[in-house]
Amino acid sequence: MASLPFSATSFHSTFVCFNYKARNPNLFFLKKGSSFTFSRRKFFIKSVASDQRQDLKEEGQITEEASLDTFVPDSASIASSIKYHSEFTPSFAPDHFKLPKAFKATAESVRDSLIINWNATYAYYEKINVKQAYYLSMEYLQGRALLNAIGNLELTGAYAEALKKLGHNLEDVAREEPDAALGNGGLGRLASCFLDSLATLNYPAWGYGLRYKYGLFKQYITKDGQEEVAENWLEMGNPWEIVRNDVSYPVKFYGEVISGPEGIKEWVGGEDITAVAYDVPIPGYKTKTTINLRLWSTKVAPEKFDLSAFNAGDHAKAYSAMKNAEKICYILYPGDESLEGKTLRLKQQYTLCSASLQDIIARYERRSGEFLNWEIFPEKVAVQMNDTHPTLCIPELIRILIDVKGLSWEQAWNITQSYINGDLSTRTVAYTNHTVLPEALEKWSLELMEKLLPRHVEIIKMIDEELIQTITDEYGTEDLDLLQEKLKQMRILDNIELPESVAEMIAKPEKSSVEAIESTEEDDVSDEETEPTAEEDELEEEEIEEKNEVPPIIEPDPKLPKLVRMANLCVAGGYAVNGVAEIHSEIVKNEVFSDFYEMWPEKFQNKTNGVTPRRWIRFCNPDLSKIITKWTGSVDWVVNTEKLVTLRNFADNEDLQSEWREAKRRNKVKVASFLREKTGYIVNPDAMFDVQVKRIHEYKRQLLNIMGIVYRYKKMKEMSHEERKASFVPRVCIFGGKAFATYVQAKRIVKFITDVGATVNHDPEIGDLLKVVFVPDYNVSVAEMLIPGSELSQHISTAGMEASGTSNMKFAMNGCILIGTLDGANVEIRQEVGEDNFFLFGAEAHEIAGLRKERAEGKFVPDPRFEEVKAYVRSGVFGPYNYEELMGSLEGNEGYGRADYFLVGKDFPSYIECQDKVDEAYRDQKRWTKMSILNTAGSYKFSSDRTIHEYARDIWRIDPVVLP
């Protein structure tokens, strides 16, 4: 006999169970208080939540009409729910209730609550047929979901108490959850912050992505530097997702396009796969709104398994079709050095776009019912492309509308893009640009795309022709040099001949009205005029030839590849284009897409990025959150970050400063413990914690940071013990981030950082005065640990190259002071927190081109201190690894991988001088604490709630929908 109390807010008092004594399970129903025999054990099912709800109803606190989801569960009902899932939703052996099992059961208990609101949200959206925004992204860097979900549901205390009753600590249980391996850097984290804000602000929206089995990779740090192994985040299952086996769509590759009756195009043959939906609920904070992240996984139908080949022993052939389909969703950003890698990436992008667009259209048709009207499609649907990865949704939308739904080209094109008189409200597809880096402004081989997606290439050529016509209408044919230059820069198809009609038009321009008048006047000249001499005749013929000479049409270069420029397709095919920080948006308008901006200035907007204050202060930094709530007077700042500005009034208050420092030190102690666990290094929590954590890339300049540390270390070694203590503030320099597996130079930088750390950290002369720690496998959960305990954060990219950055916002929110260049959102952060509370150095964006030109001309003279550091590295003090390639990249005036393209040497002197100012400020802890408080106060602007409000108002034209 065993008694099992049960309650969960998602389960009513009637339960469905199976009698397993019979070979064919028979359903029977159990009412509250029933007992039954199950596997020779007798259980008593008691609905605690229902009992408590009945008590409240009798007391008049809730009405008969109130639904179960209005009931707030207590710790007893939550504990019963967790025990229920550990018993009846088993993923582990029944014998023990250890941490992995406790996490899974707890997550499933939370998911029950989410499902109620989740279903209610979309039932209501369906009922009122509201306009909805759909966010397409190749990345969602979600992090752990448990604490965020129960925090948004306001159940943190209840779950902590429930787990305590069951013998576990909530934080220990939460640490069992692996980070979802669906993203890599800021692009994916931004997408996840946006979903949180969309739900919190009650905007009708939906995210679409891919369900990567192995993610990017798990990073290990060894004596050889970074090593990559496959992520195992799905190994124990994902309790948050629900597979929708009834929601799947066909996706086609290869094949050919044939013309059917009445010119209808049909894409036939080729390789067919199926995209299956996996849904993940995204709860809002203090709201019932729970939106959806739909992830696609890929497979083929069972009949694609070649049973004959398998039985004949040719196993590889038997399951080749299955593997080809499944591998699409294996890895985030597979290496694209090979043709196979490029093909796989393109397949991923098309799978995301095709499955998502088919789903969006199916939802629109279902909501429309018998009143289906394609003309109002953009009044119900807004599609946001998160960078260029989802660009194929433009031709895919057109393909579906024309080939499947029977619309004309004009109708489909107008639905997708047509920017009519500045009216954004009637269009569908919009584009967010996240980078100025050429490699991220994707260009695909036309040959590959024609082979893989033949119908889409036809549509892209039609879009290109529309664009050419628009450019020609805008600039005319009088100045052919100008026109051809515009076509060269703006066309979607690069190094490809002009359409025949356009080529003829440019080659034979019509006479202008002025030329026609001049010609008429010449015909009317009196016969009495003197006849020209032979010499004059010859001169006149030369002038006529010169006048009629047409500049040669730009011919394709056979030595260069034919390309499809995806960013140009985004701008041409989307109705709105936005950058993600003020300086970035200006670069987008004036440099990256200057020709498009000249022609369509109304298309371009700025939407400075933001981060959710729930995850990035409220939940990851509870000590600081309590202080903010106390001094601002309420917890309203969690959704109205403007309330953070109140802290400015108390920045000099000694009581606040004392509380602030104590909270920071507690967080630093946690970081020190974490670093010891992850790396073995012991650090002093009383030292300054100096952090640079982000994707490893040359433009982000981790190399500048570590070379500054080398300079600091070298100067320390040249001093006596007393001189060192007097000259330097103790620092713990923390790095984290992944170098892409095939990015050799970035991996050299990781190796260099770890070698410097190995030398410095074991130097008894230096001791706690300087430590260098590289945290392996940096992810959201690591960030949630490091950011609250950080004191100085480095955002030191080459000016003009970081679109925005979002980690700079997270650090500022948590009272961390930034050192950085005037790049990305640094510019706006500095404006808001105050120039005196930001450590600024380095060249500015408008200087960069001139500085590179100066370098190419051999005019750059490196600072002696920079040369000193390079020589010190080459001396072998950091081990036997040959750093010649790394140091060589900072030398020379030209050449791939050389000439210091990212201006490390140029900015090095101002960087180390700025670091001296950091030391000086840190010595005055009262001043430093005030700076820290003012950074948190000034971060009010950088909430993703503010960003989402702007997207909803200016681009998507959607309104909040509050569930009744």
Side-chain angles (χ1 to χ4, degrees):
M1 296 282 289
S3 178
L4 178 66
F6 165 68
S7 169
T9 57
S10 63
F11 286 84
H12 299 280
S13 57
T14 300
F15 303 93
V16 181
C17 297
F18 292 88
N19 180 358
Y20 283 93
K21 295 179 70 175
R23 183 173 297 274
N24 296 315
N26 296 312
L27 289 175
F28 62 91
F29 297 86
L30 299 174
K31 297 294 184 182
K32 179 181 67 176
S34 300
S35 63
F36 69 103
T37 300
F38 182 69
S39 300
R40 298 185 180 180
R41 300 170 68 189
K42 190 172 183 181
F43 293 94
F44 183 76
I45 305 294
K46 182 181 180 185
S47 181
V48 180
S50 297
D51 282 350
Q52 292 179 347
R53 181 172 177 272
Q54 180 64 31
D55 293 341
L56 291 172
K57 187 169 70 174
E58 290 171 358
E59 293 170 13
Q61 295 184 36
I62 62 173
T63 65
E64 182 65 43
E65 290 76 22
S67 62
L68 188 61
D69 61 314
T70 62
F71 173 74
V72 178
D74 62 10
S75 60
S77 62
I78 288 172
S80 295
S81 173
I82 293 171
K83 287 203 286 185
Y84 170 83
H85 279 292
S86 72
E87 189 78 23
F88 292 104
T89 316
S91 298
F92 298 87
D95 302 337
H96 303 287
F97 189 67
K98 293 183 178 179
L99 282 172
K101 186 175 184 178
F103 160 69
K104 194 77 180 294
T106 302
E108 285 162 343
S109 165
V110 176
R111 192 184 70 178
D112 290 345
S113 296
L114 296 182
I115 286 175
I116 295 175
N117 291 339
W118 195 17
N119 290 340
T121 299
Y122 280 94
Y124 191 60
Y125 290 171
E126 294 275 327
K127 179 181 178 181
I128 65 175
N129 194 16
V130 65
K131 181 176 182 180
Q132 190 163 326
Y134 298 96
Y135 197 79
L136 271 63
S137 179
M138 287 290 284
E139 292 189 48
Y140 289 92
L141 197 60
Q142 293 176 286
R144 293 168 175 159
L146 179 60
L147 293 181
N148 191 73
I150 62 175
N152 278 358
L153 291 169
E154 298 182 273
L155 293 175
T156 303
Y159 266 91
E161 188 177 340
L163 283 167
K164 189 175 181 181
K165 291 177 181 178
L166 297 173
H168 289 299
N169 178 278
L170 174 60
E171 286 72 26
D172 293 338
V173 171
R175 278 195 290 270
E176 289 297 309
E177 180 177 5
D179 277 38
L182 299 172
N184 175 33
L187 182 81
R189 185 53 234 169
L190 178 80
S192 294
C193 282
F194 277 7
L195 294 184
D196 177 90
S197 287
L198 284 163
T200 297
L201 301 174
N202 301 300
Y203 282 113
W206 202 319
Y208 283 105
L210 295 181
R211 181 180 179 268
Y212 303 107
K213 185 174 182 179
Y214 301 117
L216 188 69
F217 56 80
K218 186 183 287 290
Q219 179 195 53
Y220 288 104
I221 300 299
T222 70
K223 61 181 179 60
D224 298 316
Q226 171 181 297
E227 292 188 6
E228 307 90 19
V229 298
E231 269 280 7
N232 60 348
W233 76 288
L234 289 173
E235 185 178 13
M236 304 300 287
N238 179 9
W240 304 108
E241 68 184 12
I242 295 179
V243 59
R244 306 294 194 190
N245 287 311
D246 58 332
V247 180
S248 63
Y249 298 97
V251 179
K252 182 184 288 294
F253 304 109
Y254 305 108
E256 61 178 338
V257 180
I258 61 174
S259 294
E262 300 178 3
I264 299 297
K265 295 294 184 76
E266 187 178 0
W267 184 14
V268 298
E271 176 185 316
D272 297 305
I273 67 164
T274 301
V276 180
Y278 284 73
D279 286 350
V280 179
I282 307 294
Y285 176 71
K286 289 189 174 184
T287 176
K288 287 193 291 184
T289 299
T290 301
I291 66 172
N292 192 35
L293 170 59
R294 176 157 285 180
L295 303 171
W296 300 108
S297 187
T298 46
K299 66 176 186 178
V300 292
E303 54 266 25
K304 295 288 184 180
F305 180 77
D306 191 338
L307 188 60
S308 298
F310 190 86
N311 288 332
D314 193 348
H315 299 161
K317 179 184 176 184
Y319 54 70
S320 63
M322 298 173 63
K323 290 300 179 185
N324 280 336
E326 291 171 0
K327 72 180 181 182
I328 291 172
C329 292
Y330 275 176
I331 301 292
L332 170 65
Y333 302 144
D336 60 356
E337 301 297 313
S338 65
L339 176 60
E340 290 78 9
K342 290 180 172 66
T343 303
L344 185 55
R345 276 211 194 190
L346 193 54
K347 279 186 170 184
Q348 287 183 331
Q349 293 185 7
Y350 179 61
T351 298
L352 169 64
C353 295
S354 180
S356 302
L357 262 295
Q358 289 182 73
D359 194 45
I360 290 167
I361 288 171
R363 291 170 57 77
Y364 173 73
E365 289 178 316
R366 185 173 67 250
R367 289 183 178 188
S368 300
E370 62 186 43
F371 303 105
L372 181 63
N373 180 359
W374 289 108
E375 289 185 6
I376 66 168
F377 182 79
E379 296 175 21
K380 296 296 183 181
V381 171
V383 176
Q384 189 72 36
M385 301 181 294
N386 192 28
D387 218 6
T388 55
H389 307 128
T391 305
L392 287 168
C393 75
I394 295 170
E396 175 66 1
L397 176 57
I398 293 172
R399 182 193 72 83
I400 296 171
L401 293 176
I402 295 175
D403 297 356
V404 182
K405 304 304 175 183
L407 274 63
S408 68
W409 164 260
E410 290 75 16
Q411 289 174 306
W413 179 236
N414 288 341
I415 285 171
T416 305
Q417 182 271 346
S418 187
Y419 191 84
I420 303 170
N421 299 323
D423 181 9
L424 299 183
S425 65
T426 59
R427 307 303 100 206
T428 303
V429 183
Y431 164 52
T432 298
N433 174 273
H434 281 279
T435 183
V436 301
L437 294 176
E439 63 265 29
L441 297 171
E442 294 180 293
K443 296 179 181 179
W444 285 102
S445 160
L446 180 66
E447 182 183 0
L448 170 60
M449 194 172 282
E450 282 179 321
K451 184 179 179 183
L452 192 69
L453 303 170
R455 179 58 177 143
H456 295 77
V457 171
E458 290 185 350
I459 293 169
I460 290 169
K461 287 180 177 179
M462 294 170 74
I463 298 172
D464 188 54
E465 197 162 341
E466 288 275 355
L467 177 60
I468 290 169
Q469 186 61 57
T470 303
I471 296 168
T472 306
D473 291 345
E474 178 75 17
Y475 294 101
T477 57
E478 292 181 9
D479 188 342
L480 292 177
D481 287 328
L482 173 64
L483 178 59
Q484 293 199 70
E485 182 59 30
K486 293 295 182 183
L487 292 174
K488 182 179 179 181
Q489 297 300 324
M490 299 173 70
R491 284 191 65 191
I492 297 164
L493 301 176
D494 184 30
N495 197 40
I496 295 169
E497 60 279 351
L498 288 167
E500 203 171 291
S501 58
V502 179
E504 288 176 1
M505 179 181 62
I506 295 177
K508 299 176 181 179
E510 296 178 5
K511 283 185 178 181
S512 69
S513 58
V514 174
E515 288 173 327
I517 292 169
E518 287 175 353
S519 177
T520 304
E521 288 175 348
E522 287 170 5
D523 290 343
D524 291 341
V525 173
S526 171
D527 292 338
E528 295 177 1
E529 289 186 11
T530 309
E531 289 290 324
T533 64
E535 202 173 272
E536 287 172 333
D537 272 340
E538 189 178 332
L539 184 61
E540 188 176 340
E541 285 174 11
E542 287 177 6
E543 288 174 353
I544 290 170
E545 284 178 12
E546 196 173 308
K547 187 175 181 180
N548 290 336
E549 186 178 324
V550 177
I553 303 299
I554 300 170
E555 295 290 342
D557 186 341
K559 297 178 182 176
L560 297 176
K562 296 181 177 184
L563 301 171
V564 181
R565 297 190 280 200
M566 305 303 273
N568 287 21
L569 177 55
C570 285
V571 178
Y575 69 90
V577 179
N578 71 277
V580 290
E582 286 179 2
I583 186 175
H584 171 241
S585 293
E586 290 304 306
I587 293 171
V588 164
K589 290 189 294 188
N590 299 321
E591 296 179 29
V592 181
F593 299 123
S594 58
D595 295 301
F596 287 102
Y597 177 64
E598 183 181 275
M599 188 167 71
W600 290 318
E602 301 87 355
K603 267 195 185 191
F604 289 80
Q605 303 183 27
N606 174 61
K607 295 286 171 278
T608 299
N609 284 341
V611 300
T612 167
R614 270 77 62 187
R615 183 180 286 269
W616 294 111
I617 309 182
R618 181 73 176 85
F619 302 144
C620 79
N621 198 344
D623 287 341
L624 185 62
S625 295
K626 290 173 186 173
I627 294 170
I628 294 172
T629 299
K630 172 184 174 181
W631 287 85
T632 60
S634 76
V635 77
D636 290 350
W637 61 269
V638 179
V639 286
N640 298 307
T641 51
E642 294 83 2
K643 300 287 181 72
L644 293 174
V645 177
T646 307
L647 293 171
R648 289 173 177 167
N649 301 330
F650 309 107
D652 288 309
N653 185 289
E654 291 187 5
D655 291 336
L656 173 58
Q657 287 201 1
S658 177
E659 293 175 22
W660 201 271
R661 281 193 294 270
E662 288 173 10
K664 180 64 74 174
R665 194 180 189 284
R666 284 195 294 272
N667 286 324
K668 290 173 69 178
V669 169
K670 292 177 185 177
V671 171
S673 175
F674 171 78
L675 294 179
R676 183 173 186 175
E677 177 189 345
K678 291 295 182 183
T679 70
Y681 288 129
I682 299 172
V683 301
N684 180 8
D686 292 318
M688 179 202 299
F689 280 18
D690 172 353
V691 180
Q692 187 180 20
V693 283
K694 53 186 69 209
R695 181 165 49 96
I696 308 296
H697 197 290
E698 288 173 278
Y699 90 84
K700 293 180 183 288
R701 298 203 296 190
Q702 288 90 351
L703 186 55
L704 175 60
N705 185 351
I706 191 62
M707 291 189 77
I709 292 169
V710 170
Y711 179 78
R712 189 181 187 91
Y713 176 65
K714 185 175 186 295
K715 294 297 118 181
M716 286 180 177
K717 293 291 287 181
E718 293 168 355
M719 296 178 180
S720 67
H721 176 70
E722 291 74 20
E723 289 173 328
R724 280 195 291 271
K725 289 192 69 175
S727 300
F728 295 101
V729 165
R731 285 206 200 194
V732 177
C733 300
I734 302 168
F735 292 84
K738 294 179 180 179
F740 190 65
T742 58
Y743 190 175
V744 175
Q745 192 75 326
K747 295 178 80 169
R748 287 188 184 121
I749 292 170
V750 173
K751 169 66 174 165
F752 184 35
I753 293 168
T754 57
D755 280 354
V756 171
T759 299
V760 171
N761 298 344
H762 294 98
D763 190 330
E765 290 184 350
I766 303 303
D768 284 343
L769 204 55
L770 182 63
K771 297 291 184 186
V772 181
V773 182
F774 191 100
V775 181
D777 206 38
Y778 178 67
N779 56 23
V780 174
S781 297
V782 173
E784 289 172 323
M785 173 63 68
L786 293 180
I787 290 173
S790 302
E791 293 173 288
L792 180 74
S793 182
Q794 309 224 13
H795 302 275
I796 57 178
S797 52
T798 311
M801 303 207 74
E802 183 74 87
S804 170
T806 52
S807 63
N808 46 8
M809 302 170 185
K810 297 162 197 164
F811 281 101
M813 276 185 175
N814 283 272
C816 184
I817 301 160
L818 309 187
I819 179 171
T821 54
L822 283 178
D823 195 27
N826 283 1
V827 177
E828 292 157 83
I829 291 174
R830 183 168 175 263
Q831 290 169 355
E832 296 299 331
V833 306
E835 294 180 6
D836 293 339
N837 304 305
F838 184 106
F839 294 104
L840 177 67
F841 76 95
E844 296 185 29
H846 67 272
E847 301 175 293
I848 300 302
L851 291 169
R852 286 178 178 147
K853 184 173 184 290
E854 178 185 271
R855 183 73 182 239
E857 293 171 350
K859 297 177 182 177
F860 172 69
V861 179
D863 188 274
R865 293 167 290 186
F866 186 62
E867 297 300 289
E868 183 183 344
V869 169
K870 288 192 297 179
Y872 193 56
V873 173
R874 282 171 163 142
S875 71
V877 68
F878 300 113
Y881 186 85
N882 185 354
Y883 283 107
E884 187 57 41
E885 289 291 336
L886 189 59
M887 294 299 105
S889 71
L890 305 172
E891 298 172 338
N893 298 322
E894 58 185 14
Y896 178 76
R898 299 184 71 82
D900 194 13
Y901 183 79
F902 299 100
L903 303 180
V904 174
K906 173 65 182 178
D907 282 350
F908 184 80
S910 61
Y911 176 69
I912 59 173
E913 289 159 13
C914 191
Q915 288 285 14
D916 291 339
K917 295 176 183 177
V918 172
D919 277 8
E920 180 185 351
Y922 195 77
R923 288 189 179 97
D924 183 349
Q925 278 294 293
K926 185 172 182 180
R927 175 191 169 193
W928 187 273
T929 306
K930 179 179 179 180
M931 293 171 71
S932 176
I933 294 168
L934 291 174
N935 264 266
T936 297
S939 67
Y940 74 95
K941 178 182 175 182
F942 303 103
S943 164
S944 53
D945 295 354
R946 183 265 314 154
T947 315
I948 285 299
H949 274 312
E950 292 181 4
Y951 272 95
R953 180 192 66 212
D954 300 335
I955 297 180
W956 304 330
R957 302 290 178 90
I958 61 173
D959 297 313
V961 176
V962 180
L963 272 66

